Structures are given as structure tokens and as C-alpha cells.
């Protein structure tokens, strides 16, 4: 009986593990596809965006339009790829840079390290953004949040002032008690 229970437990554990791995793979593939869609204008084409996102995610060297990207970082998650590309887009000031401009922003030059070089040196994303004169929160804020922040807010309606209370009338003085005669 205990041997059967052990086998059932092992099979159930294996199924849970396989389901979890498949779920995370689906989630990362979905996020990877979203990143490719988001950064297609930045990379110039969908195939370039796929190469760019996969190269950054895997921490491997890649080439875009004949420009070689020697990635100084290790593997990066989807969020890190999103932050790096968002910072590059803000730094360049355009959503359609050349591959050379993109390489300079991400990798850098011998004189000025790029975003990924700073990250490989151990700098945090906030520190990198600050070194570029940006705030990470402003860079990563969703367009929906920007629209909400820019929306005109209705003016506050002032409450009407409460009317002043009327003064209490003075109490009339008590009449004096008449004296009683004879006592």
C-alpha cells in the first residue's frame, strides 16, 4: 500500500512540475512576443526586433543590419530587456534609430559606456537612468498612466460657508423675591 502511494505521489509531483515549466515557458514566450511587437519600430523590422530581444534575453552576441552587438551582460529577463530598450529609446530621442545608434546606446564606445556596459559593471537600473539625466519611473510609466496624469482634473468645488449662528439671547434677570411680611 505505501509503495503504491509513493508512486502516485511521484507521478503527481512530476505532472505538477511539467505543468509549471510549460506555464512559465508560455508566459515568457508571450512576453517575448509583446517585446518584439513593442520594439519593432526601434529595431527597424520585426525580424530585427526578434534578433534584438532574443540576443539580450540570452546574453549572446548578435548582428543587426551588419552592425555587431557584443553583449556585455549575461542573460536578462523580459523586464530587464524592456527597461534596457526603453532607456535606449529615451536616450536616443527617437523610435527609429539606425543600428549603429542603437549599438552605441546599448553597448557604448570606449569613451562612454552604454546602458548594458553600465549594467554589466553592477549598476542598478535607477542609477543608469540617473546617469542619463532620467528618472526610471518616468521612463517606465505606461502611456495609459501618462494620459491619466495629463487629463484635466475638475476643479474642486468649494463648500458653501456655514451661516453664522445667531447669538443667544441674554437670559432675563430673575425678578427679586418679594419679602414676606411678618415672619
Amino acid at each position: 500500500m505505501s509503495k503504491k502511494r509513493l508512486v502516485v505521489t511521484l507521478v503527481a509531483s512530476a505532472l505538477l512540475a511539467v505543468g509549471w515549466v510549460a506555464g512559465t515557458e508560455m508566459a515568457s514566450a508571450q512576453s517575448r512576443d509583446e517585446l518584439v511587437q513593442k520594439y519593432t519600430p526601434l529595431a527597424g523590422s520585426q525580424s530585427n526586433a526578434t534578433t534584438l530581444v532574443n540576443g539580450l534575453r540570452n546574453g549572446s552576441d548578435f548582428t543587426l543590419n551588419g552592425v555587431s552587438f557584443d553583449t556585455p551582460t549575461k542573460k536578462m529577463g523580459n523586464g530587464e530587456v524592456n527597461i534596457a530598450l526603453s532607456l535606449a529609446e529615451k536616450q536616443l530621442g527617437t523610435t527609429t534609430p539606425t543600428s549603429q545608434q542603437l549599438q552605441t546606446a546599448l553597448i557604448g564606445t570606449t569613451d562612454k559606456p552604454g546602458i548594458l556596459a553600465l549594467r554589466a559593471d553592477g549598476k542598478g537600473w535607477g542609477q543608469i537612468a540617473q546617469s542619463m539625466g532620467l528618472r526610471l519611473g518616468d521612463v517606465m510609466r505606461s502611456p495609459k498612466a501618462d494620459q491619466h496624469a495629463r487629463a484635466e482634473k475638475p476643479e474642486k468645488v468649494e463648500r458653501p460657508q456655514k451661516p453664522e449662528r445667531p447669538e443667544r439671547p441674554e437670559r432675563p434677570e430673575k425678578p427679586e423675591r418679594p419679602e414676606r411680611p411678618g415672619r
Side-chain angles (χ1 to χ4, degrees), residues 28 72 85 89 124 146 148 167 170 175 177-178 180:
S28 72
L85 293 176
E89 195 172 52
D146 280 340
H148 182 70
E167 289 185 31
E170 290 186 29
R177 284 178 119 179
R180 291 192 176 174

Side-chain angles (χ1 to χ4, degrees), residues 103-120:
Q103 186 222 28
T104 303
L106 288 173
I107 310 300
T109 61
T110 53
D111 300 333
K112 185 180 177 200
I115 294 164
L116 298 178
L118 292 171
R119 184 67 176 170

Side-chain angles (χ1 to χ4, degrees), residues 3-22:
K3 192 173 188 179
K4 185 177 180 181
R5 179 179 257 169
L6 178 66
V7 170
V8 168
T9 304
L10 288 174
V11 168
S13 299
L15 286 174
L16 282 172
V18 167
W20 178 76
V21 169

Side-chain angles (χ1 to χ4, degrees), residues 81-101:
V81 170
N82 188 25
I83 292 170
L85 293 176
S86 292
L87 285 172
E89 195 172 52
K90 285 287 187 185
Q91 181 182 18
L92 294 169
T94 180
T95 57
T96 56
T98 65
S99 296
Q100 185 62 45
Q101 289 172 323

Side-chain angles (χ1 to χ4, degrees), residues 18-172:
V18 167
W20 178 76
V21 169
T24 57
E25 283 300 313
M26 279 180 51
S28 72
Q30 187 177 21
S31 296
R32 194 173 323 145
D33 292 342
E34 290 172 2
L35 287 173
V36 167
Q37 287 297 94
K38 183 176 180 179
Y39 294 110
T40 294
L42 184 70
S45 70
Q46 188 164 359
S47 65
N48 282 353
T50 302
T51 303
L52 178 64
V53 169
N54 287 337
L56 294 177
R57 285 222 358 100
N58 298 328
S60 59
D61 299 342
F62 56 94
T63 304
L64 289 180
N65 298 331
V67 178
S68 178
F69 287 74
D70 299 325
T71 311
T73 57
K74 296 180 181 176
K75 290 183 177 183
M76 294 171 42
N78 289 330
E80 291 180 306
V81 170
N82 188 25
I83 292 170
L85 293 176
S86 292
L87 285 172
E89 195 172 52
K90 285 287 187 185
Q91 181 182 18
L92 294 169
T94 180
T95 57
T96 56
T98 65
S99 296
Q100 185 62 45
Q101 289 172 323
L102 188 58
Q103 186 222 28
T104 303
L106 288 173
I107 310 300
T109 61
T110 53
D111 300 333
K112 185 180 177 200
I115 294 164
L116 298 178
L118 292 171
R119 184 67 176 170
D121 287 343
K123 298 257 196 260
W125 291 116
Q127 292 171 321
I128 295 169
Q130 223 171 19
S131 72
M132 296 166 53
L134 301 169
R135 289 178 47 192
L136 187 60
D138 293 340
V139 173
M140 297 311 297
R141 184 174 295 125
S142 73
K144 204 175 210 181
D146 280 340
Q147 288 173 354
H148 182 70
R150 279 187 260 132
E152 290 185 29
K153 295 179 182 173
E155 291 183 27
K156 289 186 178 180
V157 178
E158 290 186 33
R159 287 184 173 180
Q161 291 182 347
K162 289 185 178 180
E164 291 186 29
R165 287 187 170 178
E167 289 185 31
R168 272 191 159 167
E170 290 186 29
R171 283 188 147 185

